[in-house]
Structures are given as C-alpha cells and as structure tokens.
C-alpha cells in the first residue's frame, strides 16, 4: 500500500535519519537532529522530520540544518490497531516509512524524539552490513541482563521466548522490508489480536519477526533507566534513550542529570522562544532511590559485561538476533 509523501524538498541521498513527531515532541526531535548535524558537518545522508501532516516550517535559526519536512498520509491503514487513550495513529507512522520512502531511500535510521545524542558515526551505521536482515535494532533493556526472558506480549499471543528489540532506534533496509511484507504482516497481526495487544508497533514488529533481525550494539540505543544510568558513564553510549515517563524536559523527580534538562532548555529557548518548565528540577536527594539504583547496577555488572562482550565495537552488528 502506498503512503503519499508531501515534503518541502526532494531527497538528496539514498539514506536518511528519520524522526516521527508532532507538537512539542517535534522540538525535542529537532534537538537530536541538530546534535547529529553537528557531528556530520558534510553529511551524505538526509535528516527528516515526519508527521501525518507536513510539520510546520522550521525557525530561521534552524534553516541551516537542511532538515527535510515530510507529511505521510496513512489513508486509515492503522485504524484497526489498538491505541492507548490520548494517542493518535502517529504512533504507528514508522510502520509506513518503508513504503512512503520507497522512491527516495534505500536505508532509513528511525529515531524516537526522546533521544539525546552523545557521539557516533551515523554515516557508517547507515551503510553497515545487516547480514541479509531487513531490520537492525538494540535489544530491549528487559533482556540486557536476562536474554532469555519471555516478553509479556509474547506470552499473551502464545509465542515462545525470542530476542526482543526496542523500537526507539531502528535501522531499516527498505527494499528488504518491503520484500518481506513486514508492515502488512504487522498490521494483520495487530488487527486480528487487537484485544490481546499491549503498547503499539514495537510489539507488533517483534511478534512478526520473532528474532529475525540483526542486533546493534547497545551504544546505539542506551535505554536510560535506574538499572543503566550509572553504567552509561563508563560505557559512553552514542545515543541515550529516555524510555518511560521520565523525560529530561518534564520530570520533576530529580532522577535525571541536570545537564539533559539544561540542554533541552537552551535549545527550545534559542529556537522556539520557550523553555521547559524548570520548577522542581533539581538533583535527586532521594537516598532510597539512589541506593537501589547503585545496588541494582552493582549486582548486574557481570551480566552487563557479558552482554557488552558480544560486540567488538559500536559498529559491530550481529548477524542474527535469534542466535
């Protein structure tokens, strides 16, 4: 099924980094886009911001980034899929990317908006060998220390345990994706099991692929939680991903380092004339929470080292997650 694209400029490369966001999340996505652009001053890939309608024009202060703004029509394709209260079908828009950009891109690196970029060779990642797979991703943090854990969604669908990825960072080979009809299969599964589904397309894709995907080093999607925050300072991830409800621009619990909030505040103030609410943002003094975080990571050091030792470096992609 085609998904017509309206954009402010043509594609300039055969590869792109793509964000899907609207509302305030579009500004946060642009923060990550600006960080990537700063790392690649002469990049050979596009950076796109997509929505179900074309995003608003960028402020003049961001025009130098050359970001491609795209509206992708869904045509009601995802109407039969489960939605959490207050969500719209934009949560499924990344499923449309391989078809929407069929004429534009061979490779797409999809990134969630709640990403903070530290470093990384994105050009090399976009051209990495996926060993015949249509998708490369990072394991969900629920399997970092317990790789054989059976995801709850698999249990509900009667599926066996299998490697399970976090869909906040996905490297897509678009021709291979379309050849395997992954989007059609995911939508069909979601429609047939609407009452048994939890969350959104992450579970659909994992259920359809069942481990048939290439595995990226966790540096490309370091899921920032109580079980990984301190270890991140030693590992030095490329991308920090603020999964769950605690976001640097809004969380008031003091559990995230202030540098993240300050970075977002400076960016939105400079380019959008506003800053995230700073009321209540402060270093954590919750001693019990800090002790539990430190203790949890201390206990898991061995298993985390085993996980990291599977990779020779951040651009090492394991050929089959099911292995």
């Amino acid at each position: 099924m085609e998904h017509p694209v309206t954009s402010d400029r043509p594609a300039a490369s055969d590869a792109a980094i793509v964000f899907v966001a609207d509302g305030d999340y579009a500004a946060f996505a642009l923060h990550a886009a600006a960080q990537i652009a700063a790392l690649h001053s002469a990049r050979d890939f596009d950076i796109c911001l997509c929505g179900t309608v074309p995003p608003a024009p960028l402020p003049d202060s961001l025009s130098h980034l050359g970001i491609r703004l795209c509206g992708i029509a869904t045509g009601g394709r995802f109407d039969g899929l489960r939605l959490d209260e207050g969500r719209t079908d934009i949560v499924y828009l990344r499923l449309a990317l391989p078809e929407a950009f069929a004429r534009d891109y061979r490779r797409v690196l999809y990134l969630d908006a709640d990403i903070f970029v530290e470093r990384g060779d994105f050009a090399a990642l976009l051209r990495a060998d996926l060993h015949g797979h249509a998708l490369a991703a990072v394991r969900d943090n629920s399997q970092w220390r317990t790789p054989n854990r059976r995801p709850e969604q698999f249990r509900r669908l009667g599926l066996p345990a299998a490697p399970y990825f976090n869909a906040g960072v996905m490297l897509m080979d678009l021709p291979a994706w379309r050849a395997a009809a992954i989007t059609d299969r995911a939508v069909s599964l979601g429609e047939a099991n609407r009452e048994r589904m939890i969350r959104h397309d992450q579970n659909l894709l994992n259920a359809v692929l069942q481990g048939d995907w290439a595995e990226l080093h966790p540096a490309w999607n370091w899921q920032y939680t109580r079980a990984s925050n301190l270890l991140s300072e030693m590992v030095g991830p490329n991308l920090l991903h603020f999964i769950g409800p605690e976001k640097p621009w809004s969380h008031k619990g003091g559990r995230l380092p202030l540098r993240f909030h300050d970075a977002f505040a400076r960016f939105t103030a400079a380019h959008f004339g506003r800053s995230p609410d700073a009321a209540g943002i402060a270093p954590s003094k919750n001693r019990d929470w800090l002790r539990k975080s430190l203790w949890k990571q201390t206990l898991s050091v061995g298993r985390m080292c085993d996980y990291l030792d599977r990779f020779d470096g951040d651009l090492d992609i394991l050929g089959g997650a099911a292995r």
Side-chain angles (χ1 to χ4, degrees):
M1 177 178 178
E2 289 192 4
H3 292 281
V5 178
T6 303
S7 63
D8 67 337
R9 69 190 71 197
S13 174
D14 68 345
I17 294 175
V18 175
F19 297 88
V20 172
D22 58 8
D24 288 341
Y25 269 74
F28 305 136
L30 289 169
H31 176 266
Q35 290 178 311
I36 294 169
L39 292 173
H40 296 271
S41 57
R43 65 180 185 269
D44 60 351
F45 55 85
D46 290 347
I47 301 178
C48 304
L49 176 63
C50 301
T52 52
V53 296
L58 299 187
D60 290 343
S61 57
L62 294 176
S63 62
H64 66 285
L65 298 179
I67 294 175
R68 189 183 184 204
L69 305 177
C70 301
I72 300 175
T74 62
R77 188 178 190 186
F78 308 123
D79 289 352
L81 301 180
R82 177 187 178 278
L83 277 177
D84 289 337
E85 185 177 354
R87 298 294 187 99
T88 69
D89 65 353
I90 195 172
V91 300
Y92 289 108
L93 192 60
R94 52 191 169 182
L95 287 177
L97 298 179
E99 293 158 352
F101 288 131
R103 296 183 179 87
D104 293 339
Y105 302 122
R106 179 183 60 85
R107 284 280 178 89
V108 158
L109 176 64
Y110 166 82
L111 299 179
D112 272 356
D114 52 355
I115 291 284
F116 193 94
V117 180
E118 299 275 35
R119 58 184 60 81
D121 189 339
F122 289 84
L125 181 65
L126 279 164
R127 283 160 175 76
D129 183 2
L130 302 192
H131 307 287
H133 293 280
L135 171 71
V138 175
R139 278 185 187 252
D140 189 75
N141 72 308
S142 62
Q143 289 189 340
W144 284 9
R145 292 161 295 277
T146 52
N148 295 321
R149 175 179 290 179
R150 187 187 188 195
E152 172 61 18
Q153 183 66 82
F154 287 7
R155 187 192 66 77
R156 294 190 182 202
L157 293 173
L159 298 174
Y164 180 89
F165 62 84
N166 180 280
V169 176
M170 296 191 294
L171 180 57
M172 304 173 172
D173 184 295
L174 302 195
W177 184 292
R178 294 191 299 272
I182 292 173
T183 297
D184 286 339
R185 292 158 56 198
V187 172
S188 295
L189 185 146
E191 291 174 339
N193 296 277
R194 180 175 178 140
E195 300 307 316
R196 292 195 289 173
M197 297 306 299
I198 52 178
R199 304 185 187 93
H200 301 107
D201 58 338
Q202 176 171 299
N203 278 326
L204 291 178
L205 290 172
N206 273 286
V208 164
L209 293 174
Q210 277 286 284
D212 183 15
W213 48 277
E215 189 169 355
L216 296 178
H217 191 289
W220 291 105
N221 185 357
W222 190 267
Q223 295 146 59
Y224 202 88
T225 70
R226 186 174 68 178
S228 67
N229 54 359
L230 302 178
L231 289 172
S232 70
E233 296 303 313
M234 301 304 296
V235 174
N238 299 333
L239 300 178
L240 298 174
H241 184 191
F242 298 100
I243 62 173
E246 298 179 355
K247 309 298 184 186
W249 52 81
S250 62
H251 181 58
K252 303 292 176 33
R255 298 175 184 175
L256 301 177
L258 294 178
R259 72 181 181 97
F260 300 125
H261 175 272
D262 292 347
F264 283 108
R266 288 192 299 269
F267 182 82
T268 54
H271 303 295
F272 297 95
R274 65 182 191 278
S275 295
D277 181 10
I281 301 291
S284 179
K285 296 179 182 178
N286 186 328
R287 297 181 183 183
D288 184 58
W289 185 88
L290 289 170
R291 287 193 186 103
K292 287 180 179 179
S293 179
L294 178 59
W295 183 240
K296 189 175 184 69
Q297 289 172 85
T298 299
L299 291 177
S300 65
V301 164
R303 285 177 289 173
M304 280 299 299
C305 287
D306 290 342
Y307 173 45
L308 294 168
D309 283 347
R310 298 174 65 224
F311 302 88
D312 291 332
D314 67 335
L315 290 172
D316 183 24
I317 299 179
L318 304 185
R323 296 176 184 176

